[in-house]
């Protein structure tokens, strides 16, 4: 309200009517409720972030602990044994028998376990607690260095390399087994390799299997974005491997496969461009490993697809490239037959392609024969399942 006249007898009139005041109060109440709800949301967000941070810290700590365990297992390949004696628990192994020798003298082969290191640590701690002077501590450190110097560096590296190769060999064997299993086993294999990436990221045979696992995940997932993500990540992994191991047939092979999977989500121009890259790396894989049936199967697939390019794809290739990709059904057939020569019954899909090639070439009797041979093989992969459907369609024609 504002005064109408000055002085003690001034009267006041309201700036807002009663209805307007009610409306203002309602608006203020609405704002207060929103502020209260916003405060609750902020608190919930803060709590969620705290839980997320705790989970991340826990995962990182768990991963570091596991990495340290792996490192310790590699560093000390021999089993540790402890005696019941209250004296030194150092255990030495001979180079010839690798059996324990509880004598306090020098080992025959000079191999020591971590127990020897811990003995010196305890000795140093006891001297410190008893108030020994710096000279005594230096004597302990010198004794420790002298003991460690007994280890032959070449032999130590040999032991560590042997232990590393043994652990890697078991891991790769398990990964191969899971790769050949069902979808759930493929997922387990993918996770297994991811969990060990930190330890074996510099190993060629590990990296191309990790790329293969990405390809498996791209194949079994149904979501288009996830397919693209798996293919892209796998391609990055194998690119790193190719920079160091350009003479690895497997690296070239899986690089080609992942390029092909990634191109399925791209434009016609990109797919045609990827086709050249695919062919280049498959040819290199065959050059490096000419007895691998999978490379010939992939080359056969490429030839068959190129021989069936549509009008738009051919025109696009001619406009963009001086030499468009060329291949015939006969080229595809020769590669598929090479697969059967190297590994009879390599895949159901391969035999279905042979039947399709013979059908396209007009040799119906050979096509029927290979359709029958394809029917004898089980469905092991998603591609085999698609081939089974194609087989049913061919029979119905």
């Amino acid at each position: 309200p504002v005064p109408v006249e000055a002085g003690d007898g001034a009267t006041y009139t309201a700036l807002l009517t009663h209805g307007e005041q009610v409306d203002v109060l309602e608006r203020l109440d609405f704002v207060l409720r929103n502020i209260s709800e916003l405060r609750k949301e902020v608190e919930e967000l803060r709590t969620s972030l705290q839980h997320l941070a705790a989970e991340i810290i826990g995962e990182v700590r768990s991963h570091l602990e596991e990495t340290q365990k792996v490192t310790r297992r590699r560093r000390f390949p021999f089993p540790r044994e402890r005696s019941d004696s209250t004296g030194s628990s150092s255990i030495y192994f001979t180079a010839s028998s690798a059996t324990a020798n509880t004598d306090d003298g020098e080992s025959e082969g000079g191999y020591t376990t971590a127990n020897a290191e811990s003995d010196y640590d305890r000795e140093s701690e006891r001297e410190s607690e008893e108030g020994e002077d710096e000279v005594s501590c230096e004597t302990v450190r010198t004794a420790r260095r002298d003991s460690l110097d007994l280890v032959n560096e070449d032999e130590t590296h040999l032991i560590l390399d042997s232990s590393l190769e043994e652990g890697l060999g078991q891991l790769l064997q398990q990964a191969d087994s899971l790769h050949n299993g069902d979808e759930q086993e493929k997922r387990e294999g993918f996770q297994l390799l991811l969990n060990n990436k930190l330890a074996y990221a510099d190993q060629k045979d590990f990296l191309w299997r990790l790329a293969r696992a990405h390809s498996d995940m791209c194949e079994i997932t149904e979501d288009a974005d996830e397919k693209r993500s798996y293919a892209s990540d796998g391609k990055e992994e194998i690119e790193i491997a190719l920079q160091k191991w350009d003479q690895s047939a497997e690296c070239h092979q899986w690089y080609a496969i992942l390029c092909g999977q990634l191109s399925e989500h791209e434009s016609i121009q990109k797919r045609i461009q990827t086709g050249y890259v695919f062919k280049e790396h498959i040819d290199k894989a065959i050059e490096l490993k000419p007895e691998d049936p999978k490379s010939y199967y992939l080359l056969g697939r490429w030839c068959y697809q190129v021989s069936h390019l549509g009008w738009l794809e051919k025109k696009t290739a001619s406009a963009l490239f001086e030499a468009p990709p060329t291949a015939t059904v006969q080229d595809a057939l020769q590669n598929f037959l090479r697969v059967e020569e190297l590994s009879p019954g390599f895949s159901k899909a391969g035999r279905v392609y042979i039947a399709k090639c013979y059908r396209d070439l007009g040799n119906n009797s050979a096509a029927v024969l290979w359709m029958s041979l394809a029917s004898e093989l089980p469905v092991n992969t998603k591609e085999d399942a698609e081939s089974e459907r194609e087989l049913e369609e061919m029979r119905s024609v």
Side-chain angles (χ1 to χ4, degrees), residues 30 39 237 261 265 271 338 347 362 367 377 384:
F30 176 75
R39 183 182 293 110
E237 297 287 357
Q261 289 177 319
H265 309 278
R271 289 201 301 271
R338 178 61 173 159
S347 73
L377 297 178
D384 287 343

Side-chain angles (χ1 to χ4, degrees), residues 198-247:
L198 187 62
Y200 297 107
D202 60 342
Q203 299 294 318
K204 175 194 67 178
D205 292 333
F206 176 86
L207 277 180
W208 71 255
R209 282 175 172 83
L210 179 58
R212 181 184 66 183
H214 278 85
S215 175
D216 288 342
M217 295 300 295
C218 176
E219 181 181 351
I220 64 181
T221 189
E222 299 295 336
D223 184 78
D225 291 336
E226 289 184 4
K227 283 181 176 291
R228 179 195 293 270
S229 178
Y230 282 125
S232 178
D233 292 345
K235 182 183 174 184
E236 290 179 5
E237 297 287 357
I238 204 66
E239 281 176 342
I240 295 173
L242 275 174
Q243 292 174 3
K244 297 179 64 177
W245 299 288
D246 183 57
Q247 298 303 304

